[in-house]
Amino acid sequence: MKASCRAGSNIAFIKYWGVADAALLIPLNNSISMTLADAHTTTTVAWDSSGILPTDTIVIDGTQLQGAPAQRIVAHLDRLRALAGVSHKARVLSKSNFPMASGIASSASGFAALTVAACAALGCPWDASQLSAIARQASGSASRSLFGGFVEWERGSSHTSSVAHQMRAENHWALRDVIAIVSARAKRVSSSSGHRLAATSPFTTARTLCVADWLATVRHAIAERNLSLLGPILELDALAMHGVMMTSAPSLLYWQPGTVAVLHAARAWREQDGLPVFFTIDAGPNVHLICEAETAPTIEKRLRALPAVRQVITSRPGPGPQLLDEHLF
Ligand code: PMV
């Protein structure tokens, strides 16, 4: 009744922002991401079949969760209990190797690791696609962390068809995500509330119309390992998503002065110094610089020299979730 899993976060090249069905978490558009090897969450789940545990106990990065943050995880455990037909409470302990809620998707790796560990501990025979659908209901981007390498989440039209699949394995392309942390504080508006606000932005329809073409280009760029094709679309969709965020009601402004400093620096390194590097940004202030392995050491060094940058984390493409023999308790 106990299992542990490590799952990587992921960085989206074409973003998920906005829901067609808020209850099932069916997105407005397909999204494409790279699973990260070096930004991951490890989770141990133990189900209490003896009935001694009165409630679920959830400890994340050393803090026992109460109230709303605990509720989101309890809701996911409820989903798993209903699917497996059990009523056991669970003990969950989880830790990530990167700052939470700062634009590195801790919900993606967190809910992927929780789903896989909880199902393994229950002995459920579900495959990765079924687990992707289950994880999606907790956090859309977690559906993509069920697979390694380069991953596409099909929008689909139902619970079972809105799932991710692997496009290419992690060894297909030695890309790097060099993450510039400009603020490690938790964001004030979570992405789960942000998705519902997307419908209020006049830019959402325009972005959704463009995404079909961008997806085709990104699929092709990944297949061909072509960064000069991928990079401009990466930046375009990150800016389009932040345009939607900024023009929602209420407006969401995740950027900090450090965000803008890194964007200008990355563009100058590319346009003036010829470095092949492109940016993307999730729902937070930190900037992800995407480049090939050979360029990453130069980008890291340059980022560390910027006063706005507090920390730099570099990640390779990573595998899908791994069950571990060692448990956190
Ligand atoms: O899965 P959520 O609800 O944390 O949403 C993730 C949203 C973005 O990170 C901004 C984009 C994405 O596709 O990962």
Side-chain angles (χ1 to χ4, degrees), residues 1-5 43-47 116-122 323-324 327:
M1 298 303 270
K2 187 196 264 196
S4 297
C5 175
T43 301
T44 297
V45 178
W47 295 100
V116 173
C119 291
L122 285 168
L323 282 169
L324 307 174
H327 303 299

Side-chain angles (χ1 to χ4, degrees), residues 10 12 15-17 107 139-141 144 191-192 195 241 282-283:
N10 65 74
K15 307 292 187 183
Y16 151 50
W17 195 252
S107 61
S139 163
S141 56
R144 298 188 307 244
S191 39
S192 39
H195 290 294
M241 179 184 73
D282 275 348

